[in-house]
């Protein structure tokens, strides 16, 4: 069963996931698609999409010769591994339809759970149309308001991983800078040309009347549901965005105001810049919300220059706290989603989860914690709308493999094991680590970490790590730091 992870992202760190990738020169298949699927944790599907017969046999690898990276990428070896090692392990065929992915948002059908979240990625007609064509089920449009929006430049910064990918992303962007009339024109055209796609209208009012008016106008122009932006951390004016989401009384009042303007389902989009989301979620439900969307971005400071002492993005020598998103925030997002999923007031209410979703497995985690739909921004900003292919095909394949008929059947299925506190955990047994000497190359990183961050339970014998069971407390730090994935949890448990 999953995950097999025979090929990992780190096996292809040199790959840049190019647009119109030159490695497509392959006469038999498109290796760039397979590489992308490996990147996005979808290697089973990638292996099954390869043509029959050993596809790289006897080939002199024009794909590798065309690679834009001078260091190159072992594409032929990766494709061969995909065919020879991953494919035989695939447990089922690629499903012939996507029926398992069909779900709904407050009773309104969704072709699949994946929507663009409110941001620049869903801010024009052309962008949404391209995303819909690519397979996204819908879009939460960039927040609509009556404010005069002037954005700063630059407005983004990021913490990057070793191979240059954006792991955490900071923005100081505000709301849509189109007029209300322009945005309503976009809604009408989108609804006319893509009637089966879901339009979630994100709005922000400045007073009760405006919340109601904006909700009504969006409904009149084709929106399927309304999302209330109580969570933008970047507003120039006080008393808007996350300033509202942090005050339950205001959340209740403005949710009620928005509900008074529309018959559509209303989601309150809440801020993670709080100790707990429950008070604001309860207030939104009291105000009539049909569900909660979360998380918006987390207030952050990144990348302080050692020369100017100014953090990024620096705008003429000044910077500001801004919203952090992307894969780095996923654990925090999941914590808030589980808080909502476990809350009794949320029974029968919709949770639209987001915060760091890049792969179908990320999406699955949000579903298991109670999300009925999923929203994505930062991964699209980094990799493009094309990620929907691996999101959908990966999740669909997983469901088929597990014999799950509908994605709706597993919403919240992981909540039973979650506790908000650690007092429920059993503390009487130790689960030892197990060392795979075939994989271990004797780097000793497990020993360094165990010595200085653990319990001095591992030593070298001829560069082979040996465990001292009398000292090991089973913390599993060694598993986490091993660069070779040569350590796993053993079955050996002892009772203290
Ligand atoms: C550049 C940028 C602009 C955003 N603009 C909005 C917005 O207008 N309204 C809103 O509700 N959220 C906005 N967000 C927040 C996202 O919708 C989303 O909640 C957050 O980024 C977490 O998801 P992600 O990790 O997939 O990006 C924005 C995020 C980014 C990165």
């Amino acid at each position: 069963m999953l995950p097999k992870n025979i090929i990992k992202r780190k096996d292809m760190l040199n790959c840049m996931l190019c647009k119109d990738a030159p490695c497509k020169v392959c006469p038999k298949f498109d290796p760039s698609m397979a590489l992308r699927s490996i990147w996005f944790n979808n290697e089973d599907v990638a292996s099954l999409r390869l043509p029959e017969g050993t596809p790289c046999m006897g080939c002199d690898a024009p794909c590798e010769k065309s690679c834009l990276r001078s260091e190159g990428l072992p594409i032929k070896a990766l494709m061969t591994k995909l065919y020879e090692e991953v494919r035989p392990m695939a447990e089922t065929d690629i499903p012939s339809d996507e029926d398992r992915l069909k779900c709904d948002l407050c009773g309104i059908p969704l072709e699949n759970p994946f929507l663009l979240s409110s941001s620049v990625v869903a801010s024009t007609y052309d962008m949404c149309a391209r995303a819909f064509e690519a397979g996204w089920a819908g879009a939460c449009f960039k927040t609509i308001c009556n404010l005069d929006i002037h954005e700063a430049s630059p407005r983004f910064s990021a913490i990057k991983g070793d191979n240059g990918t954006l792991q955490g992303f900071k923005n100081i962007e505000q709301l849509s800078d189109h007029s209300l009339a322009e945005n309503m024109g976009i809604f009408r055209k989108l609804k006319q040309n893509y009637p089966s796609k879901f339009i979630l209208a994100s709005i922000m009012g400045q007073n009760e009347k405006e919340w109601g008016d904006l909700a009504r106008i969006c409904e009149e122009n084709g929106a399927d549901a309304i999302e209330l932006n109580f969570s933008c951390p970047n507003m120039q004016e006080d008393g808007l965005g996350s300033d509202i989401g942090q005050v339950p009384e205001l959340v209740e009042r403005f949710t009620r105001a928005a509900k008074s303007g529309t018959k559509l389902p209303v989601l309150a989009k809440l801020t993670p810049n709080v100790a707990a989301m429950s008070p604001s979620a309860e207030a939104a439900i009291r105000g009539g919300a049909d569900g909660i969307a979360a998380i918006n971005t987390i207030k952050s400071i990144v990348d302080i220059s050692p020369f100017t002492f100014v953090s990024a993005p620096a705008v003429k020598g000044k910077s500001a706290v801004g919203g952090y998103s992307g894969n780095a925030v996923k654990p925090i997002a999941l914590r808030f989603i589980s808080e909502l999923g476990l809350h009794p007031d949320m029974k029968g209410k919709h949770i639209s989860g987001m915060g760091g979703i890049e792969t179908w497995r990320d999406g699955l985690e949000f579903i298991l914690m109670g999300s009925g739909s999923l929203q994505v921004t930062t991964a699209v900003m980094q990799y493009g709308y094309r990620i929907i292919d691996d999101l959908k095909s990966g999740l669909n394949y997983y469901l088929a493999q597990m014999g799950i008929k509908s994605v709706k059947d597993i919403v919240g299925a992981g909540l039973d094991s979650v506790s908000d506190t650690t007092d429920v955990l059993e503390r009487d047994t130790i689960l030892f680590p197990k060392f795979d000497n075939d994989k271990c190359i004797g780097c000793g990183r497990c020993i360094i970490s165990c010595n200085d961050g653990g319990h001095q339970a591992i030593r070298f014998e001829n560069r082979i790590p040996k465990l001292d069971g009398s000292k090991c407390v089973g913390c599993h730090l060694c598993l986490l730091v091993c660069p070779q994935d040569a350590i796993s949890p053993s079955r050996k448990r002892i009772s203290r």
Side-chain angles (χ1 to χ4, degrees):
M1 259 310 145
L2 290 168
K4 291 186 281 291
N5 269 150
I6 294 168
I7 309 180
K8 300 190 179 66
R9 244 187 210 194
K10 70 178 183 200
D11 298 326
M12 47 172 292
L13 285 186
N14 255 348
C15 183
M16 297 185 290
L17 307 176
C18 303
K19 176 172 167 54
D20 301 327
C23 58
K24 276 188 191 168
V25 288
C26 173
K28 291 193 186 155
F29 64 99
D30 178 358
S32 73
M33 256 188 87
L35 290 168
R36 223 163 60 213
S37 294
I38 296 171
W39 190 265
F40 291 111
N41 243 288
N42 195 16
E43 58 174 19
D44 279 352
V45 170
S47 75
L48 291 165
R49 282 175 175 168
L50 292 178
E52 287 295 335
T54 320
C56 298
M57 184 106 103
C59 174
D60 65 350
C63 54
E64 289 180 12
K65 291 181 191 128
S66 67
C67 181
L68 297 175
R69 273 263 155 92
S70 52
E71 312 90 318
L73 183 73
I75 303 176
K76 187 172 161 175
L78 285 168
M79 295 303 121
T80 304
K81 203 167 178 182
L82 208 51
Y83 194 81
E84 290 179 357
E85 293 180 41
V86 179
R87 190 173 160 119
M89 304 275 285
E91 287 161 31
T92 182
D93 290 337
I94 295 177
S96 55
D97 59 52
E98 293 183 347
D99 288 352
R100 289 174 190 81
L101 298 180
K102 288 183 180 155
C103 50
D104 67 272
L105 200 161
C106 297
I108 303 166
L110 288 176
E111 292 169 4
N112 62 66
F114 300 105
L115 307 164
L116 299 174
S117 78
S118 176
S119 75
V120 58
V121 301
S123 56
T124 69
Y125 172 83
D126 175 60
M127 293 174 93
C128 292
R130 279 191 291 116
F132 294 167
E133 300 282 348
W136 292 85
C140 183
F141 201 77
K142 177 82 183 158
T143 303
I144 290 164
C145 62
N146 286 316
L147 295 153
D148 195 11
I149 299 288
H150 288 287
E151 301 288 3
S153 163
R155 68 186 79 155
F156 303 143
S157 183
I159 303 287
K160 290 190 173 190
D162 291 342
N163 65 334
T165 54
L166 310 184
Q167 302 205 312
F169 186 79
K170 179 187 165 186
N171 86 85
I172 51 171
E173 188 173 290
Q174 302 184 75
L175 314 181
S176 172
D177 54 6
H178 301 152
S179 71
L180 181 59
E182 276 173 300
N183 282 329
M184 292 307 101
I186 293 173
F187 276 23
R188 288 195 301 276
K189 197 167 158 196
L190 282 173
K191 206 64 216 170
Q192 190 181 355
N193 294 341
Y194 299 95
S196 67
K197 301 290 182 179
F198 196 99
I199 299 178
L200 184 54
S202 172
I203 59 171
M204 185 188 286
Q206 298 169 80
N207 52 52
E208 282 166 286
K209 179 170 181 329
E210 212 176 278
W211 282 103
D213 286 348
L214 285 171
R216 175 181 47 79
I217 293 166
C218 289
E219 176 173 3
E220 287 165 0
N221 286 279
D224 293 294
I226 309 289
E227 187 176 276
L228 310 177
N229 184 339
F230 296 146
S231 45
C232 176
N234 303 331
M235 298 309 297
Q236 257 176 289
E237 299 80 357
D238 284 343
L240 296 177
S242 59
D243 286 358
I244 295 176
Q246 289 162 344
V247 183
E249 296 73 30
L250 295 179
V251 169
E252 180 174 347
R253 194 189 322 153
F254 293 134
T255 304
R256 187 164 287 120
K259 276 295 277 188
S260 73
T262 180
K263 294 200 168 48
L264 297 179
V266 169
L267 306 182
K269 183 168 178 185
L270 296 181
T271 173
N273 298 302
V274 286
M277 206 171 263
S278 297
S280 292
E282 288 161 12
I285 302 298
R286 281 196 304 276
D290 303 278
I292 303 293
I295 62 171
N296 206 315
T297 53
I298 302 173
K299 287 188 177 185
S300 64
I301 289 179
V302 302
D303 204 11
I304 301 171
S305 162
F307 306 107
T308 63
F309 307 166
V310 181
S311 66
V315 182
K316 289 204 165 169
K318 290 257 180 239
S319 190
V321 167
Y324 204 50
S325 61
N327 212 229
V329 310
K330 190 182 78 170
I332 300 162
L334 286 171
R335 173 248 150 161
F336 281 116
I337 298 298
S338 74
E339 183 188 339
L340 296 171
L342 288 166
H343 199 296
D345 289 7
M346 289 298 296
K347 210 169 169 29
K349 305 288 177 188
H350 188 87
I351 300 173
S352 193
M354 75 201 92
I357 298 173
E358 281 191 357
T359 68
W360 67 267
R361 285 197 56 189
D362 298 327
L364 174 65
E365 291 182 65
F366 279 78
I367 292 167
L368 294 175
M369 289 297 108
S371 304
S373 63
L374 306 167
Q375 301 189 32
V376 184
T377 278
T378 306
V380 171
M381 291 182 79
Q382 177 165 205
Y383 299 111
Y385 299 129
R386 60 189 180 165
I387 64 169
I388 190 63
D389 178 48
D390 286 303
L391 287 169
K392 280 198 305 170
S393 60
L395 185 60
N396 199 22
Y397 185 81
Y398 161 82
L399 294 170
Q401 194 180 25
M402 297 286 284
I404 299 165
K405 290 204 170 58
S406 164
V407 68
K408 294 195 281 186
D409 295 345
I410 52 167
V411 173
L415 285 168
D416 281 352
S417 64
V418 181
S419 166
D420 204 19
T421 57
T422 55
D423 58 345
V424 297
L425 302 178
E426 190 264 353
R427 288 165 192 275
D428 295 331
T429 51
I430 292 176
L431 188 56
F432 286 127
K434 185 173 78 182
F435 297 83
D436 180 339
N437 291 338
D438 292 335
K439 282 189 182 170
C440 175
I441 52 173
C443 70
R445 286 286 303 273
C446 54
I447 301 178
I448 294 171
S449 289
C450 188
N451 276 347
D452 299 355
H455 296 79
Q456 303 79 50
I458 314 175
R459 64 180 193 287
F460 258 158
E461 273 179 22
N462 299 323
R463 291 206 83 87
I464 296 173
K466 294 283 174 202
L467 188 75
D468 179 346
S470 68
K471 291 184 175 168
C472 178
V473 298
C475 71
H476 291 190
L477 175 62
C478 54
L479 266 79
L480 299 172
V481 299
C482 176
Q484 287 291 105
D485 292 328
I487 313 177
S488 54
S490 79
R491 290 217 191 89
K492 191 166 169 206
R493 294 170 177 271
I494 57 158
S495 292
R496 283 194 244 239

